[in-house]
Amino acid sequence: RSMTSKQQTVRLNDGHFIPVLGFGTYAPQEVPKTKATEAIKIAIDVGFWHIDSASRYQNEEEVGLAIRSKIAEGIVKREDIFYTTKLWCTSHRPELVRSSLEHSLKKLQLDYVDLYLIHFPVSLEALEKCKDAGLAKSIGVSNFNRRQLEMILNMLGLKHKPVCNQVECHPYLNQGKRLDFCKSKDIVLFLVPSQKKYKRTPALIALRYQLQRGVVVLAKSFTEKR
């Protein structure tokens, strides 16, 4: 059953809204790239309109194909999809940031991304320029600890505060302190479950546990039944 009609969102500190439940596209090397396209098409059909990827995942052509095919079918419009990608460590130099995002957009064949994250801790300044240019609607970070977030928030001349911090989280690593700190700074904590295999009921419980904490969660599977 589609969940889009009642899709819950969280307001980001820059005024944009992000669906609280997203679909993660990372897959091990042994999973064929074409599998990503089919999985994302199915995910969009059932209502996952928040799609999370990264240049490091090396699957943005396949992700873009799935999104564009569903747009062509009339299932969604571009503005219905919330798409996140990430800047990898080899492109941290400020002069490489925009070209890296433009490279992702070329692979995706999309005009903009909804959220652009620093995959691992570095400076935020060059990402601000991508937001100003309209290539990314929102910018944020991934895998930042409290000290690293404070360095950015206290940075002289900060123009756009990060809207989120994406981190690994599950019931045995609940990130409670990081969640409290992010809430105090109006930064959404964006959680990636690390459980590799689980039956349906524990999966739903794990997702509900996170959603009730007021965070954004990514689900991930390449199996249609799941």
Side-chain angles (χ1 to χ4, degrees):
R1 189 179 74 173
S2 173
M3 58 188 167
T4 53
S5 60
K6 294 184 179 179
Q7 197 164 70
Q8 290 179 274
T9 59
V10 170
R11 188 183 185 277
L12 301 174
N13 62 41
D14 64 358
H16 293 295
F17 289 83
I18 182 171
V20 296
L21 190 58
F23 186 74
T25 64
Y26 172 77
Q29 290 289 333
E30 59 268 22
V31 176
K33 297 293 183 188
T34 53
K35 193 83 174 172
T37 301
E38 291 311 307
I40 294 160
K41 284 181 181 179
I42 293 165
I44 291 172
D45 283 340
V46 300
F48 282 98
W49 290 4
H50 169 184
I51 309 293
D52 180 88
S53 190
S55 59
R56 181 63 174 171
Y57 299 171
Q58 299 181 330
N59 65 0
E60 290 196 293
E61 292 98 336
E62 291 77 17
V63 173
L65 178 60
I67 293 171
R68 286 181 286 104
S69 71
K70 288 300 168 184
I71 291 172
E73 287 177 30
I75 303 297
V76 290
K77 297 174 183 174
R78 173 62 188 95
E79 57 266 30
D80 295 327
I81 295 292
F82 190 101
Y83 179 75
T84 300
T85 192
K86 308 179 192 78
L87 175 74
W88 185 237
C89 303
T90 52
S91 299
H92 282 177
R93 293 210 321 269
E95 64 271 22
L96 297 178
V97 173
R98 177 167 175 163
S99 61
S100 179
L101 175 51
E102 288 174 336
H103 188 56
S104 283
L105 290 170
K106 188 175 180 181
K107 288 180 177 178
L108 292 158
Q109 295 183 41
L110 298 176
D111 295 328
Y112 66 91
V113 301
D114 295 276
L115 180 60
Y116 197 35
L117 304 182
I118 300 172
H119 211 141
F120 285 97
V122 287
S123 171
L124 189 76
E125 292 157 71
L127 260 74
E128 291 187 313
K129 293 177 182 176
C130 293
K131 178 176 170 68
D132 288 338
L135 300 178
K137 287 194 170 184
S138 301
I139 55 174
V141 298
S142 179
N143 300 301
F144 274 50
N145 61 32
R146 176 174 178 159
R147 180 182 59 81
Q148 291 157 340
L149 270 174
E150 285 179 328
M151 283 175 62
I152 281 190
L153 295 173
N154 295 329
M155 192 171 67
L156 282 175
L158 180 69
K159 187 175 181 182
H160 303 299
K161 189 163 75 168
V163 300
C164 69
N165 185 18
Q166 187 180 113
V167 297
E168 177 189 336
C169 184
H170 49 80
Y172 300 104
L173 178 64
N174 71 16
Q175 300 284 14
K177 288 184 178 178
R178 204 176 318 201
L179 175 58
D180 290 342
F181 175 73
C182 286
K183 280 184 175 179
S184 75
K185 301 298 181 182
D186 197 20
I187 295 172
V188 171
L189 202 60
F190 196 135
L191 304 182
V192 184
S194 66
Q195 294 99 324
K196 300 295 181 187
K197 292 182 180 179
Y198 36 59
K199 293 180 182 177
R200 188 176 176 201
T201 301
L204 290 174
I205 292 169
L207 290 172
R208 175 55 60 187
Y209 163 74
Q210 303 293 16
L211 292 174
Q212 286 179 338
R213 301 170 77 207
V215 298
V216 174
V217 189
L218 297 180
K220 184 171 63 179
S221 177
F222 287 88
T223 305
E224 183 175 356
K225 184 179 179 181
R226 288 187 189 145

